[in-house]
Short mmCIF file of all heavy atoms in Angstrom, two decimals:
data_model
loop_
_atom_site.label_atom_id
_atom_site.label_comp_id
_atom_site.label_asym_id
_atom_site.label_seq_id
_atom_site.Cartn_x
_atom_site.Cartn_y
_atom_site.Cartn_z
N MET P 1 112.60 -4.23 123.40
CA MET P 1 113.70 -3.88 124.27
C MET P 1 114.61 -5.09 124.43
O MET P 1 114.16 -6.20 124.64
CB MET P 1 113.14 -3.41 125.61
CG MET P 1 114.21 -3.04 126.63
SD MET P 1 115.23 -1.62 126.24
CE MET P 1 114.08 -0.30 126.47
N ALA P 2 115.89 -4.85 124.36
CA ALA P 2 116.87 -5.92 124.50
C ALA P 2 116.99 -6.36 125.95
O ALA P 2 116.74 -5.58 126.87
CB ALA P 2 118.23 -5.44 124.00
N ARG P 3 117.35 -7.61 126.14
CA ARG P 3 117.61 -8.11 127.48
C ARG P 3 118.85 -7.43 128.04
O ARG P 3 119.71 -6.98 127.29
CB ARG P 3 117.80 -9.62 127.43
CG ARG P 3 116.52 -10.34 127.01
CD ARG P 3 116.79 -11.79 126.77
NE ARG P 3 117.46 -11.89 125.47
CZ ARG P 3 117.92 -12.99 124.94
NH1 ARG P 3 117.83 -14.11 125.57
NH2 ARG P 3 118.50 -12.99 123.76
N ALA P 4 118.94 -7.34 129.36
CA ALA P 4 120.07 -6.69 130.02
C ALA P 4 121.39 -7.20 129.48
O ALA P 4 121.58 -8.40 129.33
CB ALA P 4 119.98 -6.90 131.52
N GLY P 5 122.30 -6.29 129.20
CA GLY P 5 123.62 -6.64 128.71
C GLY P 5 123.69 -6.99 127.24
O GLY P 5 124.74 -7.36 126.74
N ARG P 6 122.59 -6.86 126.53
CA ARG P 6 122.56 -7.21 125.11
C ARG P 6 122.44 -5.94 124.27
O ARG P 6 122.18 -4.87 124.79
CB ARG P 6 121.39 -8.15 124.82
CG ARG P 6 121.36 -9.33 125.73
CD ARG P 6 121.46 -10.69 125.22
NE ARG P 6 121.12 -11.03 123.89
CZ ARG P 6 121.80 -11.93 123.20
NH1 ARG P 6 122.86 -12.50 123.72
NH2 ARG P 6 121.43 -12.27 122.01
N ILE P 7 122.65 -6.08 122.98
CA ILE P 7 122.55 -4.97 122.04
C ILE P 7 121.25 -5.13 121.26
O ILE P 7 121.06 -6.13 120.57
CB ILE P 7 123.74 -4.97 121.04
CG1 ILE P 7 125.08 -5.04 121.78
CG2 ILE P 7 123.65 -3.77 120.12
CD1 ILE P 7 125.32 -3.94 122.76
N GLU P 8 120.37 -4.15 121.37
CA GLU P 8 119.13 -4.18 120.59
C GLU P 8 119.44 -3.73 119.16
O GLU P 8 120.15 -2.75 118.95
CB GLU P 8 118.10 -3.25 121.21
CG GLU P 8 116.78 -3.26 120.47
CD GLU P 8 115.74 -2.35 121.09
OE1 GLU P 8 116.00 -1.74 122.15
OE2 GLU P 8 114.66 -2.24 120.49
N ILE P 9 118.92 -4.47 118.20
CA ILE P 9 119.11 -4.16 116.78
C ILE P 9 117.80 -3.60 116.25
O ILE P 9 116.78 -4.28 116.22
CB ILE P 9 119.51 -5.41 115.98
CG1 ILE P 9 120.80 -6.00 116.54
CG2 ILE P 9 119.66 -5.07 114.49
CD1 ILE P 9 121.14 -7.39 116.00
N GLN P 10 117.82 -2.33 115.84
CA GLN P 10 116.65 -1.68 115.28
C GLN P 10 116.93 -1.38 113.81
O GLN P 10 118.03 -0.97 113.47
CB GLN P 10 116.33 -0.37 116.00
CG GLN P 10 116.07 -0.53 117.47
CD GLN P 10 115.90 0.81 118.17
OE1 GLN P 10 116.13 1.87 117.60
NE2 GLN P 10 115.52 0.75 119.43
N VAL P 11 115.93 -1.61 112.97
CA VAL P 11 116.08 -1.27 111.55
C VAL P 11 114.91 -0.40 111.13
O VAL P 11 113.79 -0.57 111.59
CB VAL P 11 116.17 -2.51 110.64
CG1 VAL P 11 117.41 -3.32 110.95
CG2 VAL P 11 114.94 -3.38 110.76
N ASP P 12 115.19 0.55 110.27
CA ASP P 12 114.17 1.43 109.73
C ASP P 12 113.94 1.03 108.27
O ASP P 12 114.66 1.47 107.38
CB ASP P 12 114.63 2.89 109.83
CG ASP P 12 113.60 3.87 109.31
OD1 ASP P 12 112.57 3.44 108.75
OD2 ASP P 12 113.83 5.08 109.46
N ARG P 13 112.95 0.19 108.06
CA ARG P 13 112.67 -0.29 106.70
C ARG P 13 112.20 0.83 105.78
O ARG P 13 112.33 0.73 104.57
CB ARG P 13 111.65 -1.43 106.74
CG ARG P 13 112.27 -2.72 107.28
CD ARG P 13 111.29 -3.87 107.35
NE ARG P 13 110.51 -4.09 106.15
CZ ARG P 13 110.89 -4.81 105.09
NH1 ARG P 13 112.07 -5.37 105.08
NH2 ARG P 13 110.09 -4.96 104.06
N ASP P 14 111.67 1.91 106.35
CA ASP P 14 111.26 3.04 105.51
C ASP P 14 112.47 3.78 104.94
O ASP P 14 112.38 4.38 103.87
CB ASP P 14 110.39 4.02 106.32
CG ASP P 14 109.04 3.44 106.67
OD1 ASP P 14 108.52 2.59 105.90
OD2 ASP P 14 108.49 3.82 107.72
N SER P 15 113.59 3.73 105.65
CA SER P 15 114.81 4.38 105.17
C SER P 15 115.67 3.46 104.32
O SER P 15 116.48 3.93 103.51
CB SER P 15 115.65 4.85 106.36
OG SER P 15 114.97 5.83 107.09
N CYS P 16 115.53 2.16 104.49
CA CYS P 16 116.35 1.17 103.79
C CYS P 16 116.21 1.33 102.27
O CYS P 16 115.12 1.52 101.76
CB CYS P 16 115.92 -0.24 104.21
SG CYS P 16 116.84 -1.57 103.40
N VAL P 17 117.35 1.24 101.58
CA VAL P 17 117.35 1.33 100.12
C VAL P 17 117.63 -0.03 99.46
O VAL P 17 117.73 -0.12 98.24
CB VAL P 17 118.36 2.39 99.61
CG1 VAL P 17 117.97 3.78 100.07
CG2 VAL P 17 119.79 2.04 100.03
N GLY P 18 117.77 -1.07 100.28
CA GLY P 18 117.95 -2.42 99.75
C GLY P 18 119.30 -2.71 99.15
O GLY P 18 119.42 -3.59 98.28
N SER P 19 120.35 -2.05 99.62
CA SER P 19 121.69 -2.30 99.06
C SER P 19 122.19 -3.70 99.40
O SER P 19 123.02 -4.25 98.68
CB SER P 19 122.69 -1.26 99.57
OG SER P 19 123.05 -1.53 100.91
N GLY P 20 121.76 -4.25 100.53
CA GLY P 20 122.18 -5.59 100.92
C GLY P 20 123.52 -5.66 101.63
O GLY P 20 123.98 -6.76 101.95
N ALA P 21 124.14 -4.53 101.90
CA ALA P 21 125.44 -4.54 102.57
C ALA P 21 125.36 -5.22 103.93
O ALA P 21 126.25 -5.98 104.30
CB ALA P 21 125.98 -3.12 102.71
N CYS P 22 124.30 -4.96 104.67
CA CYS P 22 124.17 -5.56 106.00
C CYS P 22 124.10 -7.08 105.90
O CYS P 22 124.77 -7.79 106.64
CB CYS P 22 122.95 -5.00 106.73
SG CYS P 22 121.39 -5.24 105.86
N ALA P 23 123.30 -7.58 105.00
CA ALA P 23 123.14 -9.03 104.83
C ALA P 23 124.41 -9.67 104.27
O ALA P 23 124.74 -10.80 104.61
CB ALA P 23 121.96 -9.33 103.92
N LEU P 24 125.13 -8.95 103.45
CA LEU P 24 126.37 -9.47 102.88
C LEU P 24 127.45 -9.63 103.94
O LEU P 24 128.12 -10.67 104.02
CB LEU P 24 126.88 -8.54 101.77
CG LEU P 24 128.21 -8.92 101.12
CD1 LEU P 24 128.08 -10.23 100.36
CD2 LEU P 24 128.67 -7.81 100.19
N PHE P 25 127.62 -8.61 104.78
CA PHE P 25 128.70 -8.62 105.76
C PHE P 25 128.33 -9.26 107.09
O PHE P 25 129.20 -9.75 107.80
CB PHE P 25 129.23 -7.20 105.98
CG PHE P 25 129.95 -6.67 104.78
CD1 PHE P 25 129.34 -5.75 103.94
CD2 PHE P 25 131.22 -7.11 104.47
CE1 PHE P 25 129.99 -5.27 102.82
CE2 PHE P 25 131.88 -6.63 103.34
CZ PHE P 25 131.26 -5.71 102.52
N GLU P 26 127.06 -9.28 107.46
CA GLU P 26 126.63 -9.87 108.72
C GLU P 26 125.37 -10.72 108.53
O GLU P 26 124.30 -10.41 109.05
CB GLU P 26 126.40 -8.78 109.78
CG GLU P 26 127.66 -8.09 110.25
CD GLU P 26 128.70 -9.05 110.82
OE1 GLU P 26 128.31 -10.06 111.44
OE2 GLU P 26 129.90 -8.78 110.66
N PRO P 27 125.48 -11.81 107.77
CA PRO P 27 124.31 -12.64 107.48
C PRO P 27 123.70 -13.33 108.69
O PRO P 27 122.56 -13.76 108.63
CB PRO P 27 124.84 -13.66 106.47
CG PRO P 27 126.30 -13.73 106.73
CD PRO P 27 126.70 -12.34 107.15
N ASP P 28 124.43 -13.40 109.79
CA ASP P 28 123.86 -13.98 111.01
C ASP P 28 122.82 -13.04 111.63
O ASP P 28 121.95 -13.49 112.38
CB ASP P 28 124.93 -14.28 112.05
CG ASP P 28 125.82 -15.44 111.65
OD1 ASP P 28 125.41 -16.24 110.78
OD2 ASP P 28 126.93 -15.54 112.20
N PHE P 29 122.92 -11.77 111.32
CA PHE P 29 122.06 -10.77 111.93
C PHE P 29 121.05 -10.14 110.98
O PHE P 29 120.01 -9.65 111.41
CB PHE P 29 122.90 -9.66 112.57
CG PHE P 29 123.79 -10.16 113.66
CD1 PHE P 29 125.14 -10.34 113.43
CD2 PHE P 29 123.29 -10.49 114.90
CE1 PHE P 29 125.98 -10.82 114.43
CE2 PHE P 29 124.11 -10.97 115.91
CZ PHE P 29 125.46 -11.14 115.67
N PHE P 30 121.37 -10.12 109.68
CA PHE P 30 120.51 -9.43 108.71
C PHE P 30 120.23 -10.29 107.48
O PHE P 30 121.06 -11.07 107.05
CB PHE P 30 121.17 -8.12 108.24
CG PHE P 30 121.51 -7.20 109.37
CD1 PHE P 30 122.81 -7.11 109.84
CD2 PHE P 30 120.54 -6.43 109.98
CE1 PHE P 30 123.14 -6.27 110.89
CE2 PHE P 30 120.85 -5.59 111.03
CZ PHE P 30 122.15 -5.51 111.49
N ASP P 31 119.06 -10.08 106.91
CA ASP P 31 118.65 -10.72 105.67
C ASP P 31 117.96 -9.66 104.84
O ASP P 31 117.77 -8.53 105.28
CB ASP P 31 117.71 -11.88 105.98
CG ASP P 31 117.57 -12.86 104.82
OD1 ASP P 31 118.21 -12.66 103.77
OD2 ASP P 31 116.80 -13.83 104.97
N GLN P 32 117.58 -10.04 103.63
CA GLN P 32 116.82 -9.15 102.75
C GLN P 32 115.53 -9.84 102.37
O GLN P 32 115.51 -11.04 102.09
CB GLN P 32 117.60 -8.83 101.47
CG GLN P 32 118.64 -7.76 101.65
CD GLN P 32 119.27 -7.40 100.33
OE1 GLN P 32 120.11 -8.16 99.86
NE2 GLN P 32 118.89 -6.31 99.75
N SER P 33 114.47 -9.05 102.32
CA SER P 33 113.17 -9.57 101.92
C SER P 33 113.21 -9.98 100.45
O SER P 33 113.75 -9.25 99.61
CB SER P 33 112.10 -8.50 102.12
OG SER P 33 110.90 -8.87 101.49
N GLU P 34 112.65 -11.14 100.13
CA GLU P 34 112.54 -11.56 98.74
C GLU P 34 111.49 -10.75 98.00
O GLU P 34 111.51 -10.66 96.78
CB GLU P 34 112.22 -13.05 98.66
CG GLU P 34 113.38 -13.91 99.11
CD GLU P 34 113.09 -15.39 98.94
OE1 GLU P 34 112.20 -15.75 98.15
OE2 GLU P 34 113.79 -16.18 99.59
N ASP P 35 110.56 -10.14 98.75
CA ASP P 35 109.50 -9.35 98.12
C ASP P 35 109.97 -7.97 97.68
O ASP P 35 109.72 -7.57 96.55
CB ASP P 35 108.31 -9.18 99.08
CG ASP P 35 107.63 -10.51 99.38
OD1 ASP P 35 107.62 -11.40 98.50
OD2 ASP P 35 107.12 -10.65 100.50
N ASP P 36 110.65 -7.25 98.59
CA ASP P 36 111.02 -5.87 98.25
C ASP P 36 112.51 -5.57 98.38
O ASP P 36 112.95 -4.46 98.11
CB ASP P 36 110.21 -4.87 99.08
CG ASP P 36 110.38 -5.05 100.58
OD1 ASP P 36 111.31 -5.77 101.02
OD2 ASP P 36 109.55 -4.49 101.33
N GLY P 37 113.31 -6.55 98.82
CA GLY P 37 114.75 -6.37 98.92
C GLY P 37 115.21 -5.58 100.14
O GLY P 37 116.39 -5.32 100.30
N LEU P 38 114.28 -5.20 101.01
CA LEU P 38 114.64 -4.40 102.17
C LEU P 38 115.13 -5.27 103.31
O LEU P 38 114.87 -6.47 103.37
CB LEU P 38 113.44 -3.56 102.61
CG LEU P 38 112.89 -2.59 101.56
CD1 LEU P 38 111.73 -1.80 102.14
CD2 LEU P 38 113.97 -1.68 101.03
N VAL P 39 115.84 -4.64 104.23
CA VAL P 39 116.46 -5.34 105.35
C VAL P 39 115.42 -6.05 106.22
O VAL P 39 114.33 -5.54 106.46
CB VAL P 39 117.29 -4.36 106.21
CG1 VAL P 39 116.43 -3.27 106.83
CG2 VAL P 39 118.07 -5.09 107.29
N LEU P 40 115.81 -7.23 106.67
CA LEU P 40 115.04 -7.99 107.65
C LEU P 40 116.01 -8.42 108.74
O LEU P 40 116.98 -9.14 108.45
CB LEU P 40 114.43 -9.24 107.02
CG LEU P 40 113.35 -9.05 105.98
CD1 LEU P 40 112.98 -10.39 105.34
CD2 LEU P 40 112.12 -8.40 106.61
N PRO P 41 115.80 -7.97 109.96
CA PRO P 41 116.69 -8.43 111.03
C PRO P 41 116.41 -9.90 111.34
O PRO P 41 115.25 -10.32 111.39
CB PRO P 41 116.33 -7.54 112.21
CG PRO P 41 114.95 -7.06 111.93
CD PRO P 41 114.80 -7.03 110.44
N ARG P 42 117.44 -10.70 111.49
CA ARG P 42 117.27 -12.12 111.83
C ARG P 42 117.03 -12.29 113.33
O ARG P 42 116.44 -13.28 113.74
CB ARG P 42 118.50 -12.91 111.41
CG ARG P 42 118.64 -13.06 109.92
CD ARG P 42 119.80 -14.01 109.62
NE ARG P 42 119.99 -14.18 108.21
CZ ARG P 42 119.42 -15.14 107.49
NH1 ARG P 42 118.62 -16.00 108.07
NH2 ARG P 42 119.64 -15.23 106.20
N VAL P 43 117.53 -11.36 114.13
CA VAL P 43 117.36 -11.39 115.59
C VAL P 43 117.03 -9.99 116.08
O VAL P 43 117.32 -9.00 115.40
CB VAL P 43 118.64 -11.91 116.29
CG1 VAL P 43 118.92 -13.35 115.92
CG2 VAL P 43 119.83 -11.04 115.98
N ARG P 44 116.44 -9.90 117.26
CA ARG P 44 116.10 -8.60 117.85
C ARG P 44 117.24 -8.02 118.66
O ARG P 44 117.34 -6.80 118.82
CB ARG P 44 114.89 -8.72 118.77
CG ARG P 44 113.62 -8.99 118.04
CD ARG P 44 112.49 -9.15 119.03
NE ARG P 44 111.25 -9.03 118.33
CZ ARG P 44 110.41 -8.01 118.48
NH1 ARG P 44 110.68 -7.06 119.32
NH2 ARG P 44 109.30 -7.96 117.78
N ASP P 45 118.10 -8.90 119.19
CA ASP P 45 119.23 -8.43 119.97
C ASP P 45 120.40 -9.39 119.83
O ASP P 45 120.26 -10.48 119.31
CB ASP P 45 118.85 -8.20 121.43
CG ASP P 45 118.35 -9.46 122.14
OD1 ASP P 45 118.82 -10.56 121.81
OD2 ASP P 45 117.50 -9.33 123.02
N ALA P 46 121.56 -8.91 120.29
CA ALA P 46 122.79 -9.70 120.15
C ALA P 46 123.64 -9.53 121.39
O ALA P 46 123.49 -8.57 122.15
CB ALA P 46 123.56 -9.25 118.91
N ALA P 47 124.57 -10.45 121.57
CA ALA P 47 125.51 -10.38 122.69
C ALA P 47 126.46 -9.20 122.50
O ALA P 47 126.74 -8.79 121.37
CB ALA P 47 126.32 -11.69 122.76
N PRO P 48 126.96 -8.64 123.60
CA PRO P 48 127.88 -7.51 123.51
C PRO P 48 129.11 -7.78 122.65
O PRO P 48 129.65 -6.87 122.02
CB PRO P 48 128.29 -7.25 124.97
CG PRO P 48 127.19 -7.84 125.78
CD PRO P 48 126.67 -9.00 124.98
N GLU P 49 129.52 -9.05 122.58
CA GLU P 49 130.69 -9.41 121.76
C GLU P 49 130.47 -9.13 120.27
O GLU P 49 131.44 -9.01 119.52
CB GLU P 49 131.04 -10.89 121.95
CG GLU P 49 131.46 -11.25 123.36
CD GLU P 49 130.29 -11.41 124.33
OE1 GLU P 49 129.15 -11.64 123.90
OE2 GLU P 49 130.54 -11.30 125.53
N ALA P 50 129.23 -9.01 119.85
CA ALA P 50 128.91 -8.76 118.45
C ALA P 50 128.88 -7.28 118.11
O ALA P 50 128.72 -6.91 116.94
CB ALA P 50 127.57 -9.39 118.09
N LEU P 51 129.04 -6.42 119.10
CA LEU P 51 128.88 -4.98 118.87
C LEU P 51 129.78 -4.45 117.76
O LEU P 51 129.31 -3.72 116.89
CB LEU P 51 129.11 -4.20 120.16
CG LEU P 51 128.96 -2.68 120.04
CD1 LEU P 51 127.57 -2.30 119.52
CD2 LEU P 51 129.25 -2.01 121.37
N GLN P 52 131.05 -4.80 117.76
CA GLN P 52 131.96 -4.26 116.74
C GLN P 52 131.52 -4.67 115.33
O GLN P 52 131.49 -3.84 114.42
CB GLN P 52 133.41 -4.68 117.00
CG GLN P 52 134.40 -4.03 116.06
CD GLN P 52 134.36 -2.50 116.09
OE1 GLN P 52 134.16 -1.89 117.12
NE2 GLN P 52 134.54 -1.89 114.93
N ALA P 53 131.18 -5.92 115.14
CA ALA P 53 130.73 -6.38 113.82
C ALA P 53 129.43 -5.69 113.43
O ALA P 53 129.26 -5.31 112.26
CB ALA P 53 130.54 -7.90 113.83
N LEU P 54 128.53 -5.51 114.39
CA LEU P 54 127.27 -4.83 114.09
C LEU P 54 127.50 -3.35 113.76
O LEU P 54 126.84 -2.80 112.88
CB LEU P 54 126.30 -4.97 115.26
CG LEU P 54 125.73 -6.37 115.45
CD1 LEU P 54 125.02 -6.48 116.80
CD2 LEU P 54 124.78 -6.72 114.31
N ARG P 55 128.45 -2.73 114.43
CA ARG P 55 128.79 -1.33 114.11
C ARG P 55 129.30 -1.21 112.68
O ARG P 55 128.98 -0.26 111.97
CB ARG P 55 129.84 -0.80 115.08
CG ARG P 55 129.29 -0.37 116.39
CD ARG P 55 130.38 0.24 117.24
NE ARG P 55 129.80 0.88 118.40
CZ ARG P 55 130.50 1.24 119.45
NH1 ARG P 55 131.81 1.03 119.50
NH2 ARG P 55 129.91 1.84 120.46
N VAL P 56 130.12 -2.16 112.26
CA VAL P 56 130.64 -2.14 110.89
C VAL P 56 129.48 -2.29 109.90
O VAL P 56 129.41 -1.56 108.91
CB VAL P 56 131.71 -3.25 110.69
CG1 VAL P 56 132.09 -3.39 109.23
CG2 VAL P 56 132.94 -2.94 111.54
N ALA P 57 128.57 -3.21 110.17
CA ALA P 57 127.42 -3.39 109.29
C ALA P 57 126.58 -2.12 109.23
O ALA P 57 126.15 -1.70 108.16
CB ALA P 57 126.56 -4.57 109.76
N ALA P 58 126.35 -1.50 110.39
CA ALA P 58 125.57 -0.26 110.43
C ALA P 58 126.27 0.86 109.67
O ALA P 58 125.63 1.63 108.95
CB ALA P 58 125.31 0.15 111.88
N ALA P 59 127.58 0.93 109.81
CA ALA P 59 128.34 1.98 109.11
C ALA P 59 128.33 1.78 107.60
O ALA P 59 128.39 2.74 106.84
CB ALA P 59 129.78 2.00 109.63
N ARG P 60 128.24 0.53 107.15
CA ARG P 60 128.23 0.25 105.71
C ARG P 60 126.86 0.48 105.08
O ARG P 60 126.73 0.48 103.86
CB ARG P 60 128.68 -1.19 105.46
CG ARG P 60 130.15 -1.36 105.68
CD ARG P 60 130.59 -2.76 105.38
NE ARG P 60 132.05 -2.83 105.36
CZ ARG P 60 132.74 -3.89 105.68
NH1 ARG P 60 132.13 -5.00 106.04
NH2 ARG P 60 134.05 -3.87 105.63
N CYS P 61 125.84 0.65 105.90
CA CYS P 61 124.49 0.89 105.38
C CYS P 61 124.41 2.28 104.78
O CYS P 61 124.56 3.28 105.50
CB CYS P 61 123.46 0.74 106.51
SG CYS P 61 121.78 1.16 106.00
N PRO P 62 124.20 2.40 103.47
CA PRO P 62 124.18 3.73 102.84
C PRO P 62 123.00 4.59 103.30
O PRO P 62 123.08 5.81 103.23
CB PRO P 62 124.09 3.42 101.35
CG PRO P 62 123.50 2.06 101.27
CD PRO P 62 123.96 1.33 102.50
N ALA P 63 121.96 3.97 103.81
CA ALA P 63 120.77 4.73 104.25
C ALA P 63 120.79 4.98 105.75
O ALA P 63 119.89 5.64 106.27
CB ALA P 63 119.50 3.97 103.86
N ARG P 64 121.79 4.43 106.45
CA ARG P 64 121.86 4.55 107.91
C ARG P 64 120.56 4.05 108.55
O ARG P 64 120.02 4.66 109.47
CB ARG P 64 122.17 5.98 108.35
CG ARG P 64 123.48 6.52 107.84
CD ARG P 64 124.62 5.74 108.47
NE ARG P 64 125.92 6.31 108.10
CZ ARG P 64 126.82 5.65 107.42
NH1 ARG P 64 126.57 4.42 106.99
NH2 ARG P 64 127.98 6.18 107.15
N ALA P 65 120.07 2.92 108.06
CA ALA P 65 118.79 2.36 108.51
C ALA P 65 118.94 1.41 109.69
O ALA P 65 117.95 0.88 110.16
CB ALA P 65 118.12 1.64 107.34
N ILE P 66 120.17 1.22 110.18
CA ILE P 66 120.42 0.31 111.30
C ILE P 66 120.85 1.13 112.51
O ILE P 66 121.77 1.94 112.43
CB ILE P 66 121.52 -0.71 110.95
CG1 ILE P 66 121.10 -1.54 109.74
CG2 ILE P 66 121.84 -1.60 112.15
CD1 ILE P 66 122.22 -2.38 109.16
N VAL P 67 120.18 0.89 113.63
CA VAL P 67 120.52 1.55 114.89
C VAL P 67 120.76 0.47 115.93
O VAL P 67 119.98 -0.47 116.05
CB VAL P 67 119.38 2.49 115.35
CG1 VAL P 67 119.70 3.11 116.70
CG2 VAL P 67 119.14 3.57 114.31
N LEU P 68 121.84 0.62 116.68
CA LEU P 68 122.20 -0.34 117.72
C LEU P 68 122.06 0.34 119.08
O LEU P 68 122.60 1.42 119.28
CB LEU P 68 123.63 -0.81 117.53
CG LEU P 68 123.94 -1.36 116.13
CD1 LEU P 68 125.44 -1.63 116.00
CD2 LEU P 68 123.13 -2.60 115.86
N VAL P 69 121.34 -0.29 119.99
CA VAL P 69 121.07 0.31 121.29
C VAL P 69 121.46 -0.67 122.39
O VAL P 69 120.78 -1.70 122.56
CB VAL P 69 119.58 0.69 121.43
CG1 VAL P 69 119.34 1.39 122.76
CG2 VAL P 69 119.12 1.55 120.28
N PRO P 70 122.53 -0.39 123.16
CA PRO P 70 122.84 -1.24 124.30
C PRO P 70 121.68 -1.18 125.29
O PRO P 70 121.09 -0.13 125.49
CB PRO P 70 124.10 -0.62 124.90
CG PRO P 70 124.70 0.17 123.78
CD PRO P 70 123.53 0.65 122.97
N SER P 71 121.36 -2.30 125.91
CA SER P 71 120.19 -2.35 126.79
C SER P 71 120.29 -1.39 127.96
O SER P 71 119.29 -0.91 128.45
CB SER P 71 119.97 -3.77 127.29
OG SER P 71 121.09 -4.20 128.01
N GLU P 72 121.50 -1.08 128.41
CA GLU P 72 121.64 -0.17 129.55
C GLU P 72 121.80 1.29 129.14
O GLU P 72 121.88 2.15 129.98
CB GLU P 72 122.79 -0.60 130.46
CG GLU P 72 124.13 -0.74 129.77
CD GLU P 72 124.32 -2.10 129.09
OE1 GLU P 72 123.80 -3.12 129.58
OE2 GLU P 72 124.96 -2.13 128.06
N VAL P 73 121.83 1.57 127.84
CA VAL P 73 122.00 2.93 127.34
C VAL P 73 120.94 3.20 126.31
O VAL P 73 120.68 2.38 125.43
CB VAL P 73 123.40 3.11 126.69
CG1 VAL P 73 123.56 4.49 126.12
CG2 VAL P 73 124.50 2.82 127.69
N GLN P 74 120.31 4.36 126.36
CA GLN P 74 119.35 4.77 125.34
C GLN P 74 120.07 5.71 124.39
O GLN P 74 120.76 6.61 124.80
CB GLN P 74 118.14 5.46 125.96
CG GLN P 74 117.33 4.57 126.85
CD GLN P 74 116.78 3.37 126.09
OE1 GLN P 74 116.25 3.50 125.02
NE2 GLN P 74 116.91 2.20 126.68
N GLY P 75 119.91 5.50 123.11
CA GLY P 75 120.55 6.37 122.12
C GLY P 75 121.27 5.57 121.07
O GLY P 75 121.54 4.40 121.23
N ASN P 76 121.63 6.22 120.00
CA ASN P 76 122.26 5.60 118.86
C ASN P 76 123.75 5.43 119.14
O ASN P 76 124.42 6.37 119.48
CB ASN P 76 122.05 6.50 117.64
CG ASN P 76 122.57 5.93 116.36
OD1 ASN P 76 123.27 4.92 116.37
ND2 ASN P 76 122.25 6.55 115.27
N VAL P 77 124.26 4.20 118.97
CA VAL P 77 125.69 3.96 119.16
C VAL P 77 126.36 3.57 117.85
O VAL P 77 127.52 3.24 117.84
CB VAL P 77 125.95 2.86 120.22
CG1 VAL P 77 125.47 3.32 121.57
CG2 VAL P 77 125.36 1.55 119.82
N ALA P 78 125.63 3.65 116.76
CA ALA P 78 126.24 3.30 115.48
C ALA P 78 125.62 4.14 114.38
O ALA P 78 124.47 4.53 114.45
CB ALA P 78 126.01 1.83 115.15
N GLY P 79 126.41 4.42 113.39
CA GLY P 79 125.90 5.13 112.24
C GLY P 79 125.71 6.61 112.46
O GLY P 79 125.21 7.31 111.62
N ASP P 80 126.19 7.15 113.62
CA ASP P 80 126.02 8.58 113.87
C ASP P 80 127.32 9.35 113.74
O ASP P 80 127.35 10.54 114.00
CB ASP P 80 125.38 8.82 115.23
CG ASP P 80 126.25 8.39 116.40
OD1 ASP P 80 127.37 7.91 116.15
OD2 ASP P 80 125.81 8.54 117.54
N GLY P 81 128.38 8.64 113.34
CA GLY P 81 129.66 9.29 113.12
C GLY P 81 130.43 9.57 114.39
O GLY P 81 131.47 10.21 114.35
N SER P 82 129.94 9.13 115.54
CA SER P 82 130.61 9.45 116.78
C SER P 82 131.62 8.40 117.22
O SER P 82 132.27 8.56 118.21
CB SER P 82 129.58 9.64 117.91
OG SER P 82 128.89 8.44 118.17
N ASP P 83 131.71 7.28 116.49
CA ASP P 83 132.66 6.26 116.92
C ASP P 83 133.93 6.27 116.13
O ASP P 83 134.26 6.95 115.35
CB ASP P 83 132.11 4.84 116.92
CG ASP P 83 131.23 4.48 115.75
OD1 ASP P 83 131.37 5.04 114.67
OD2 ASP P 83 130.38 3.62 115.96
#
């Protein structure tokens, strides 16, 4: 769970296809495993100021394997087509 006022970064490695788009566009937040090429989050949460950049990274994920959850809200805020 993210600290109050922060954005929790969740990744679904089972859905990840290893495209690397997240790591390419947001290397401060995402990396790729050298073993299987799948996403590795560099941090568990981020400041609210990073939300827009994280939304872009989540939207670029072809597998929609990245979910962003504001600490005060439960539910998907990225990658669901609602933004």
